[in-house]
Amino acid sequence: MKKIIWIFSLLCMLNFQQSYANTFSISQKENILYENENLLNEYLIYTADKQCFIHYLSTNPISDDLHIEVEETSEQKDVKCFEKGHFKINILNDKNDILQTLDGFFIDGFFIGQLPLNSHVIKRSAEKNGTQNLYYFLDKNDDLKIQYVGKMQAELTGNIYTHFEVCDSFEIWLQTPNKDLFTDQTTIQNLFTVAKSYAQTLCPNIQTIIFGATDSPSLKQDGIFFKEHLVKDNSTALWMPDLDSSFNYVLNPQPTGDITLNPVLISPKKQQKQQKDETTTIETPKETEKLTVHVSNKTNKKVLFIDKPYLMKTLQNSKTKDLKEGWYKIDAYLEDMSDLEKKKTGISLNQKAFNIDIISAEKCKSEKCN
């Protein structure tokens, strides 16, 4: 399976880059799904002959007297009804006064700004805060039962929408019933390599990728079983996960009922309070370990990583936020990392690894604190 996924990854990247080089022409066309229609701030504005229309975003109802016309300078004169390509479209009132001009790229009548994305729209939805969502087709693999779907958003600035934005953070969803793909860390990494190739081809300077999977045929939220929110560390070129926003319900089933916190990731005072209130059976560690450790350059704002003498990690807090790459003498509580956590973090099951709660740390002046 690993070999098949890796070969697929390479082929998929090559096919994507080739299709994008040919202006990303996608022939597949499907009906658009709509969800949360009562939250959609969307209106149709037609051409004067009523043959074509655009989807216009507004928080307020628009006049029925508005219509649109395409300027002769538009690059795509032969494309029917703004299905794909670059257009310069004027919005006019009943007196033919120009109220607004939309100059940029469209897909299926939706304005997407200056990104030449000639795909097709799969789904529209909206959120309670007014954010409008647009899902679009990227690619598919029938053998692995995967459809790659991009998601872009239009957010409110005051009471005004500008356009749907692809590259603020690149969001890509694998629509698949094949959950077994997400039981192996190497396979997941190979799938992310494919997703990353889409992101970097469309958005070369992208810094954030949201990479997820759903088994919902209609891309509903309750079908999401995997999600990673990754931020690029420009100093190392590594993509680091934001653990607070990432999960894998295939390896770690979604919690139900009362949740017991990991004792290593909460303070001893909180542990004592929990014991006193009889809300948990966690025992407070009696002794700390004195260790010489090396803080890894994979450390980010959310998680501190240690790579020597063993692999260790902890959520960042006031005691760790200033620790940079290098050697330290520390006092800390240690707990063996579970097999599930090792799988999620990409660590071999036979490798020693710990969760750690650092109580104090002293920077060393020499390697290994000699």
Side-chain angles (χ1 to χ4, degrees), residues 125-311:
S125 68
E127 301 172 14
K128 291 182 179 179
N129 65 0
T131 298
Q132 306 292 299
N133 302 318
L134 192 69
Y135 296 81
Y136 59 97
F137 176 80
L138 278 172
D139 206 346
K140 68 176 182 177
N141 181 274
D142 293 330
D143 292 335
L144 294 177
K145 301 178 182 178
I146 293 175
Q147 177 167 255
Y148 287 89
V149 178
K151 178 183 175 183
M152 63 180 91
Q153 294 186 317
E155 297 183 348
L156 279 169
T157 303
N159 292 319
I160 305 296
Y161 292 102
T162 52
H163 57 80
F164 284 99
E165 175 61 59
V166 176
C167 294
D168 274 354
S169 61
F170 190 87
E171 193 160 342
I172 181 169
W173 292 90
L174 277 62
Q175 191 178 22
T176 178
N178 194 358
K179 293 185 177 180
D180 288 345
L181 295 171
F182 295 85
T183 60
D184 177 77
Q185 192 62 36
T186 301
T187 302
I188 292 171
Q189 185 59 43
N190 291 337
L191 291 171
F192 174 67
T193 299
V194 177
K196 183 175 63 175
S197 73
Y198 298 156
Q200 293 178 327
T201 302
L202 291 171
C203 310
N205 298 318
I206 194 68
Q207 295 293 307
T208 302
I209 296 176
I210 297 172
F211 166 58
T214 175
D215 61 2
S216 169
S218 56
L219 294 163
K220 289 190 174 181
Q221 291 290 311
D222 58 9
I224 296 173
F225 58 85
F226 173 89
K227 180 182 178 184
E228 281 193 340
H229 185 132
L230 299 112
V231 178
K232 187 176 183 180
D233 181 346
N234 289 321
S235 64
T236 63
L238 296 174
W239 289 87
M240 305 303 298
D242 179 346
L243 298 184
D244 289 344
S245 305
S246 303
F247 54 82
N248 185 343
Y249 292 151
V250 181
L251 292 179
N252 304 288
Q254 187 171 8
T256 57
D258 295 333
I259 300 174
T260 301
L261 296 175
N262 184 336
V264 170
L265 302 184
I266 56 178
S267 69
K269 288 184 179 179
K270 286 185 179 179
Q271 292 179 28
Q272 292 167 358
K273 184 178 185 302
Q274 286 176 331
Q275 290 174 326
K276 184 176 180 180
D277 294 341
E278 297 182 349
T279 59
T280 178
T281 59
I282 298 171
E283 294 184 1
T284 305
K286 294 181 180 179
E287 295 182 358
T288 62
E289 300 278 350
K290 296 184 181 297
L291 300 167
T292 299
V293 300
H294 183 265
V295 173
S296 168
N297 60 11
K298 291 184 179 180
T299 291
N300 57 49
K301 292 181 180 179
K302 295 290 184 179
V303 183
L304 178 86
F305 290 99
I306 290 171
D307 53 16
K308 296 173 184 177
Y310 306 110
L311 294 177

Side-chain angles (χ1 to χ4, degrees), residues 289-341:
E289 300 278 350
K290 296 184 181 297
L291 300 167
T292 299
V293 300
H294 183 265
V295 173
S296 168
N297 60 11
K298 291 184 179 180
T299 291
N300 57 49
K301 292 181 180 179
K302 295 290 184 179
V303 183
L304 178 86
F305 290 99
I306 290 171
D307 53 16
K308 296 173 184 177
Y310 306 110
L311 294 177
M312 308 177 193
K313 68 180 180 68
T314 182
L315 298 181
Q316 291 279 25
N317 56 49
S318 59
K319 296 174 183 175
T320 64
K321 64 183 181 66
D322 294 326
L323 302 188
K324 308 298 182 184
E325 181 182 5
W327 288 92
Y328 295 82
K329 287 185 177 294
I330 65 169
D331 280 353
Y333 297 109
L334 269 68
E335 181 188 68
D336 288 333
M337 193 180 292
S338 69
D339 286 349
L340 285 177
E341 284 185 280

